[in-house]
């Protein structure tokens, strides 16, 4: 039985900001959620989205709904939360809050049953997963210097064993074109992808898509703004490079509507935002029914990373063949001490790949002492605590 639900809002000021097509990051914010069973076992999750909002949504709205709930009934818990907020929160940060709770319940369930999350997701199809490095963000420096900075950073990942890299585009068309070509010239044998974070209008996306095809890129990520679902089909009709999108989309119903446009070839739900790891399984089934593969968007800390690892470990690649193209895990390599210095057990990268944890739950565990330096606000709702505790 769930006896306590705690949230931890974490923050880290970056030494150097980094940017993409929409803005520059100078501070990282993160919300972790801990669900404690009355046997004393904890399950952990994290939420993607505005941490102050998801913290309030969990502490004041969802946690009271789940206290006293059987910790093994995670599907029923999801539906309970969904129905309680359906009238006003079918999408948005409240679904981000449900996602973190769903992740924590799955971690807790795995620990209570002594099985890994990939076993709860249907069992492992593979024990190791190849990664692609996400990085090469923009810096505040002249564009000639920036291009060299990006190439140097990319070279470091290739030296570490990564066989696939994703760059950021959407700065301006001239720079984007130069960067796309320079990366291909510097790394002729590396798989490359480009992510505009919905920076382009349709004519720009067509031009960039044709260049990416010519330069043999694997996919064109978020070429268009997510609210214009119909434009994806128009773009897809004009370019040959696969279109990947979905990190701003949520729930099986959202992905059903996105994928039925016929303009998306790779679905990218974020497991800390789309409704949680169990909702991602439903999205995977819908993607499968459209003959589409899922490559989770992965940002944040070890909990979301581990969720994506278990999800991909249990993924059957469409359409299936003897020599199947293995799915790729997004390895966010941007600076983040809350990912790299805050966990007692973590996902380890070796030569551009990870081994799937086989222990109970997600297989990663926050270090409570290390969390303290990042914690700006903690809350707790408990069966025996009437008032929230101060940080
Ligand atoms: Mg992206």
């Amino acid at each position: 039985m769930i006896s306590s639900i705690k949230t931890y809002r974490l923050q880290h000021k970056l030494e150097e900001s980094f940017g993409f097509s929409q803005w520059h990051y100078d501070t990282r914010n993160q919300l972790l959620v801990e669900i404690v069973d009355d046997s004393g076992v904890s399950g952990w999750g994290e939420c993607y989205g505005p941490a102050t909002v998801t913290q309030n949504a969990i502490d004041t709205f969802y946690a009271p709904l789940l206290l006293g709930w059987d910790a093994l009934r995670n599907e029923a818990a999801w539906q309970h939360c969904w129905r309680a907020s359906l009238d006003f929160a079918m999408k948005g940060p409240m679904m981000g809050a449900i996602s973190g709770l769903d992740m924590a319940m799955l971690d807790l369930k795995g620990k209570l049953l002594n099985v890994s999350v990939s076993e709860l997701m249907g069992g492992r199809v593979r024990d190791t997963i190849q990664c692609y490095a996400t990085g090469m963000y923009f810096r505040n420096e002249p564009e000639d210097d920036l291009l060299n900075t990006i190439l140097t950073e990319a070279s470091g990942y290739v030296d570490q064993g990564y066989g696939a890299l994703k760059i950021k585009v959407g700065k301006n068309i001239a720079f984007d074109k130069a960067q796309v070509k320079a990366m291909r010239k510097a790394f002729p044998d590396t798989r490359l992808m480009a992510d505009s974070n919905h920076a382009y209008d349709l004519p720009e996306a067509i031009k960039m898509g044709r260049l990416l095809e010519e330069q043999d890129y694997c996919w064109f990520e978020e070429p268009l703004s997510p609210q214009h679902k119909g434009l994806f089909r128009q773009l897809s009709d004009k370019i040959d490079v696969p279109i990947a999108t979905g990190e701003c989309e949520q729930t099986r119903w959202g992905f059903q509507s996105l994928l039925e446009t016929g303009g998306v070839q790779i679905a990218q739900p974020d497991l800390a935002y789309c409704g949680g790891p169990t909702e991602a399984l439903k999205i995977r089934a819908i993607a499968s029914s459209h003959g589409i593969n899922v490559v989770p968007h992965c940002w944040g800390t070890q909990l979301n990373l581990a969720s994506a690892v278990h999800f991909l470990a249990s993924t059957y690649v469409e359409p299936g063949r003897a020599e199947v193209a293995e799915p790729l895990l997004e390895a966010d390599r941007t600076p983040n001490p809350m990912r790299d210095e805050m966990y007692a057990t973590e996902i380890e990268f070796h030569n551009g790949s990870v081994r799937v944890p086989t222990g109970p739950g997600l297989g990663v565990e926050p270090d409570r002492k290390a969390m303290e330096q990042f914690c700006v606000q903690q809350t707790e709702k408990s069966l025996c605590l009437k008032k929230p505790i101060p940080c």
Side-chain angles (χ1 to χ4, degrees), residues 46 103 131 298-311 329-333 339 346-349 354 362 364:
E46 69 178 273
M103 192 182 291
C131 305
C298 194
W299 187 254
T301 84
Q302 294 283 328
L303 295 159
N304 199 22
L305 178 62
S307 298
V309 168
H310 288 290
F311 179 88
L329 171 71
E330 177 164 27
D332 162 28
R333 300 290 78 198
R339 179 193 65 221
E346 59 186 23
I347 301 293
E348 291 178 14
F349 294 88
V354 298
L362 288 168
V364 295

Side-chain angles (χ1 to χ4, degrees), residues 288-349:
S288 171
S289 77
H290 287 84
I292 288 171
N293 284 303
V294 175
V295 178
H297 172 257
C298 194
W299 187 254
T301 84
Q302 294 283 328
L303 295 159
N304 199 22
L305 178 62
S307 298
V309 168
H310 288 290
F311 179 88
L312 287 172
S314 60
T315 288
Y316 187 85
V317 178
E318 294 290 342
R321 60 174 184 255
E323 296 182 28
V324 74
E326 285 292 307
L328 285 171
L329 171 71
E330 177 164 27
D332 162 28
R333 300 290 78 198
T334 56
N336 187 357
M338 294 185 288
R339 179 193 65 221
D340 297 338
E341 299 164 23
M342 203 185 71
Y343 282 79
T345 52
E346 59 186 23
I347 301 293
E348 291 178 14
F349 294 88

Side-chain angles (χ1 to χ4, degrees), residues 166 168 195 197 221-222 247 268 297 330:
K166 188 169 80 187
K168 290 292 172 186
D195 183 1
N197 295 92
E221 182 167 322
E222 285 206 293
E247 66 187 74
Q268 298 180 302
H297 172 257
E330 177 164 27

Side-chain angles (χ1 to χ4, degrees), residues 163 184 186-192:
R184 175 49 75 210
F187 306 102
D189 303 322
T190 301
R191 282 186 285 177
L192 298 175

Side-chain angles (χ1 to χ4, degrees), residues 95-287:
M95 186 51 65
I98 290 178
S99 304
L101 288 163
D102 181 72
M103 192 182 291
M105 281 201 79
L106 211 56
D107 184 39
L108 177 57
K109 184 173 184 174
K111 288 169 175 168
L112 292 172
L113 298 177
N114 198 30
V115 295
S116 71
V117 164
S118 42
E119 285 167 293
L120 292 176
M121 288 177 161
R124 284 186 293 284
V125 179
R126 56 192 60 80
D127 296 315
T128 60
I129 302 171
Q130 297 293 314
C131 305
Y132 73 86
T134 285
M136 286 67 76
Y137 278 64
F138 307 141
R139 313 291 165 93
N140 285 317
E141 55 187 11
E143 289 189 349
D144 286 349
D145 296 340
L146 175 59
L147 194 50
N148 283 328
T149 301
I150 287 169
L151 289 168
T152 304
E153 182 184 343
S155 184
Y157 300 136
V158 172
D159 290 346
Q160 289 167 38
Y162 288 93
L165 309 173
K166 188 169 80 187
I167 60 168
K168 290 292 172 186
V169 291
K171 189 174 189 298
N172 60 67
I173 294 285
F175 181 83
D176 297 342
K177 285 182 172 175
Q179 187 195 194
V180 164
K181 291 177 188 170
M183 282 291 294
R184 175 49 75 210
K185 191 173 175 200
F187 306 102
D189 303 322
T190 301
R191 282 186 285 177
L192 298 175
M193 306 79 149
D195 183 1
S196 97
N197 295 92
H198 48 79
Y200 299 128
D201 63 17
L202 182 60
E204 290 171 328
I206 292 169
K207 273 187 197 143
M208 285 303 298
R210 287 176 176 161
L211 177 65
L212 293 171
E213 164 66 15
E214 174 199 303
Q215 297 290 317
D216 195 24
Y217 275 58
C218 297
W219 74 64
F220 189 5
E221 182 167 322
E222 285 206 293
L224 298 162
S225 217
Q227 73 270 31
H228 301 304
K229 287 179 181 171
L231 292 184
F232 284 87
R233 179 57 186 262
Q234 291 187 53
L235 177 63
S236 179
D237 285 344
K238 291 218 159 45
I239 65 174
D240 290 329
V241 66
I243 294 169
T245 197
E247 66 187 74
C248 301
E249 193 51 83
Q250 293 175 301
T251 78
R252 73 201 80 164
W253 303 284
F255 274 86
Q256 168 69 15
S257 154
L258 174 64
L259 299 184
E260 71 188 7
T261 65
V264 176
Q265 285 78 48
I266 298 164
Q268 298 180 302
D270 188 306
L271 276 54
Y273 181 70
C274 71
T278 61
E279 189 62 12
L281 298 177
K282 296 165 177 85
I283 292 166
R284 180 163 76 188
I286 285 167

